[in-house]
Amino acid sequence: MPQSPDAVDPTPGAPDDARARAGAARPEDGLAPPGTNGAPHPTPLPGPPAGWSTPYVAPVPLEPEQESPPDEPRTGDGWADPSAGAPSGTAAGTAAGEAAGDPAGTQTAVDAPPWGAGPVVATAAPERRVPDADELRERLLGAATLALDATRRNRVIGWVVALAFTALGAVLRFWNLGSPHELVFDETYYVKDGWSLVERGYEADWGEEPNPRFEQGDASMLGTKAEYFVHPQVGKWLIGLGMRLGGGVESAFSWRLAVAVLGTLSVLMLTRIARRLFASTAWGAVAGGLLAIDGMGIVMSRTSLLDPVLMFFVLAAFGALVLDREQSRRRLAVRQAALLAEGKETEFGPGLGWRWWRFAAAVLLGLAIGTKWSGLYFLAVFGVLTVLWDATARRTAGVRVWAAVAFVRDAVPAAFVMVGTAVVVYLGTWWSWFTHPDAWGRQWAAENPGQGVTFLPEALRSLVEFHRQMWNFHRDLDSPHTYQAHPLGWIVQWRPTSFFWGDESGLTGPDAQAACGADHCARAILAIGNPVVWWAGAAAILVALFWLVWYRDWRAGAVLSGLVAGWAPWFLYSERTIFAFYSIAFTPWVVLTLVYVLTLVVGPPTLPPRARRGAIIGVGVFLAVVVLVSAFFYPIWAGWTVPYDFWHQHMWLRQWV
């Protein structure tokens, strides 16, 4: 703020030379204050305290009880708050004003300068500077985020980079997608159920041992009798529609088409999401590239199970909430600045209106739950996360009672919108079950009058009972399996799941030489992530937790949120038969957590290039190792026929076999 050109006369009737000495002894000039005989101070003296618009003047003696310095101006709300010091008109301010010839009390006593010359007097009380919308936007989002899409060039580069890594992910997922031409692991359930849905509208019975004929393209054994199932229908509908578009049951490519498309789009989404989170196109590219070449993402995108479909929807919902965070903060900046400019009371801040991206996230989470019930945990965690973002935004914008306002204006509406929308969408995903009387359990209420939740209509009463049956199945599922794995080991891929072990693995002699160029062949699909990515990701989780607790970095909370939602709940069901490939649901957040820690290693771009050079080289070497390991493992992820010794070289741990 501009300085007053004239010093204030410290005492009425002071002689002219005293006034001159008072004006010449301004501490901002680096000279000694009055009372030091004009001797220069050995070091430059500091200027006036932040927030004061006038220079220091000659000291005014105060009574001892008046010499206690006031607080510094507060900056917690982003600008100095005059209420933190002694405002004009207070007893201290009036006494100092009267002593300085200012009976109105417009001057205020402030801290004594460090050279021991006694207290000083400012000519006017500090005024609260009102920030404009641009300043609030920068506080709420940061300069890097605002610059991310500020020019057309930045926007174009952002999309070109994202599409390039999406293309890489597509190649790795679609290359020879129809191999093996066999139902892999639990494809035996979901592929046939998907075809049944598009053919019958409900899950129908396939008879005894249908797989060999189905794999030959024969679906004539599909019956009309309803078959029991234990997962909602969204993922199976998508698999069935992919089969319809891709060539029917004759093509193994069509069995996996829908999941491969969703897995490829997930690379695109993660690249764009990471670009927003880290305000950097380069770091977005790193995140997208890691997901594109990670084994868990590749294997699960090449296998028609429900878990990669769940991952797609929860990742899309997370991306929608990241966009909602940015959009709502831009809106808050404009509306808060308008209130401040008009001088209106800002105790409660502005409303933010309808949040379309939050609504979109709720729709996507409803579809996630309609794929697997574990989507419920993402709804809960993401709902809390978005409300916390709102609360911190209001605090940063200067809303006084930000916690209460965030609860009333943000948390309560968010609960209604997100939970209500997700419930409605979830019920809507059962439309075919409602409309087909032959579906499993559809007639339960009619066959069992007076049972169940009797106040509901028959259709809903039947659905509730069906859900009770499904819940009992999942709760009691404890049949031992060779590849079941405790969730504690998922993060380090301790016990990956073997999806496929082909007949070629038994080839020897001339047949083996013809198939793989060795005396003994192997053909396998192992659902395991890139070990370097996952081991480093496990360590990165600890670093991110520290940064969240110690520095309260919102990005640390964001990257950990998917791990809390997708991994932590499984510890409650560790006694059940569960598998490590469930970790695909939170794989994007393993990547984001790792990238977040890499950004800490490299440091912000504001550092001198020399300070970052070593870290950048180190991160580059790490990423090069990741690429090499992925290239080494790809034949095991894609089910190639390889020499047995080559396959065995990939079994780094005994538990992987």
Side-chain angles (χ1 to χ4, degrees):
M1 298 177 66
Q3 300 276 341
S4 174
D6 300 318
V8 175
D9 188 0
T11 56
D16 292 341
D17 58 340
R19 294 191 183 96
R21 285 196 302 272
R26 293 179 301 173
E28 62 267 29
D29 294 333
L31 303 178
T36 59
N37 298 320
H41 199 276
T43 57
L45 300 175
W52 296 94
S53 61
T54 57
Y56 286 108
V57 296
V60 177
L62 297 177
E63 296 297 327
E65 63 271 21
Q66 295 173 323
E67 294 184 3
S68 58
D71 296 331
E72 292 290 337
R74 291 190 296 116
T75 57
D77 295 332
W79 58 84
D81 188 342
S83 65
S88 61
T90 62
T94 302
E98 290 175 349
D102 179 27
T106 58
Q107 299 175 351
T108 307
V110 296
D111 289 345
W115 52 82
V120 296
V121 176
T123 59
E127 294 183 358
R128 180 172 183 167
R129 185 170 62 80
V130 176
D132 59 17
D134 289 337
E135 184 176 346
L136 283 176
R137 266 191 294 266
E138 185 168 342
R139 291 177 185 173
L140 290 165
L141 293 170
T145 297
L146 295 177
L148 196 59
D149 288 331
T151 66
R152 181 180 179 183
R153 180 177 181 273
N154 288 352
R155 294 192 295 271
V156 170
I157 291 176
W159 277 107
V160 168
V161 169
L163 292 173
F165 282 97
T166 303
L168 172 63
V171 170
L172 298 177
R173 285 153 176 76
F174 280 92
W175 187 4
N176 202 19
L177 180 62
S179 177
H181 191 86
E182 299 179 39
L183 293 170
V184 172
F185 204 68
D186 281 353
E187 282 186 337
T188 185
Y189 303 115
Y190 307 127
V191 169
K192 297 201 301 290
D193 280 352
W195 186 250
S196 177
L197 283 171
V198 297
E199 285 290 300
R200 298 281 188 265
Y202 59 94
E203 292 85 343
D205 178 61
W206 285 88
E208 296 293 330
E209 298 295 330
N211 284 8
R213 292 172 60 186
F214 184 89
E215 291 168 351
Q216 296 172 7
D218 181 6
S220 61
M221 57 282 196
L222 176 62
T224 58
K225 181 181 178 182
E227 186 169 273
Y228 178 64
F229 58 94
V230 295
H231 290 294
Q233 299 180 318
V234 171
K236 293 176 286 186
W237 266 110
L238 290 173
I239 292 170
L241 292 173
M243 295 171 68
R244 181 75 81 189
L245 295 173
V249 298
E250 296 83 2
S251 168
F253 175 90
S254 73
W255 304 347
R256 301 164 186 145
L257 175 60
V259 174
V261 169
L262 298 181
T264 302
L265 292 177
S266 297
V267 175
L268 175 63
M269 289 193 300
L270 187 65
T271 307
R272 298 292 295 177
I273 290 169
R275 181 174 179 267
R276 290 284 172 191
L277 279 178
F278 307 123
S280 167
T281 298
W283 288 118
V286 171
L290 288 176
L291 183 62
I293 65 175
D294 180 65
M296 188 62 69
I298 291 172
V299 172
M300 299 306 292
S301 297
R302 296 173 60 91
T303 312
S304 274
L305 305 185
L306 300 183
D307 302 88
V309 181
L310 171 68
M311 182 268 285
F312 171 82
F313 283 124
V314 296
L315 180 60
F318 180 73
L321 290 177
V322 170
L323 290 173
D324 172 73
R325 179 185 183 275
E326 180 173 332
Q327 185 184 74
S328 63
R329 288 182 172 227
R330 289 178 182 272
R331 189 179 298 173
L332 176 61
V334 173
R335 297 185 179 184
Q336 177 76 342
L339 288 177
L340 293 172
E342 295 171 4
K344 294 183 177 179
E345 179 60 50
T346 61
E347 288 288 328
F348 302 102
L352 298 179
W354 180 254
R355 311 271 287 271
W356 283 106
W357 281 117
R358 176 178 281 176
F359 173 73
V363 172
L364 290 163
L365 289 168
L367 293 172
I369 300 168
T371 301
K372 290 191 79 171
W373 283 355
S374 48
L376 282 166
Y377 299 113
F378 288 91
L379 174 63
V381 172
F382 289 172
V384 172
L385 183 68
T386 186
V387 171
L388 289 176
W389 286 347
D390 287 342
T392 55
R394 292 188 179 276
R395 181 181 62 182
T396 303
V399 176
R400 303 293 184 189
V401 287
W402 55 270
V405 173
F407 177 78
V408 174
R409 286 191 167 178
D410 299 319
V412 174
F416 278 103
V417 170
M418 296 193 69
V419 176
T421 301
V423 169
V424 171
V425 171
Y426 176 76
L427 289 175
T429 65
W430 288 84
W431 65 272
S432 66
W433 186 87
F434 283 118
T435 56
H436 286 81
D438 294 329
W440 178 274
R442 178 64 180 80
Q443 301 301 323
W444 181 88
E447 296 167 357
N448 296 273
Q451 297 185 33
V453 186
T454 56
F455 66 85
L456 291 175
E458 280 193 355
L460 287 177
R461 189 151 56 95
S462 297
L463 185 65
V464 170
E465 171 60 22
F466 190 15
H467 277 62
R468 187 190 66 80
Q469 296 175 14
M470 288 193 292
W471 168 250
N472 288 338
F473 171 86
H474 290 297
R475 183 193 61 192
D476 300 333
L477 181 62
D478 58 358
S479 302
H481 193 284
T482 304
Y483 287 98
Q484 67 186 70
H486 192 281
L488 183 62
W490 295 359
I491 196 65
V492 292
Q493 303 293 284
W494 183 254
R495 181 59 170 165
T497 311
S498 177
F499 273 8
F500 176 74
W501 183 257
D503 294 337
E504 295 86 348
S505 301
L507 294 177
T508 58
D511 292 336
Q513 287 288 341
C516 66
D519 293 333
H520 190 183
C521 296
R523 189 184 184 197
I525 297 176
L526 185 67
I528 185 173
N530 184 306
V532 177
V533 170
W534 284 77
W535 293 344
I541 291 172
L542 301 178
V543 177
L545 281 170
F546 173 79
W547 242 255
L548 175 63
V549 173
W550 191 257
Y551 295 105
R552 299 180 184 177
D553 188 344
W554 75 272
R555 298 175 306 161
V559 301
L560 292 172
S561 64
L563 291 162
V564 173
W567 181 32
W570 287 106
F571 286 86
L572 301 175
Y573 309 102
S574 59
E575 300 304 319
R576 280 187 42 199
T577 305
I578 54 180
F579 301 91
F581 71 83
Y582 294 175
S583 61
I584 184 59
F586 60 85
T587 296
W589 287 271
V590 174
V591 171
L592 287 174
T593 304
L594 176 57
V595 174
Y596 170 69
V597 173
L598 293 179
T599 67
L600 300 179
V601 171
V602 171
T606 53
L607 290 177
R610 180 178 298 179
R612 307 173 75 213
R613 187 176 300 129
I616 291 174
I617 293 173
V619 169
V621 171
F622 170 79
L623 295 177
V625 171
V626 169
V627 171
L628 292 175
V629 171
S630 287
F632 178 66
F633 271 86
Y634 186 75
I636 309 302
W637 296 333
W640 291 7
T641 301
V642 297
Y644 180 87
D645 289 342
F646 179 81
W647 169 82
H648 196 266
Q649 290 168 4
H650 292 75
M651 302 299 106
W652 292 359
L653 300 177
R654 172 186 286 180
Q655 293 79 10
W656 291 5
V657 179

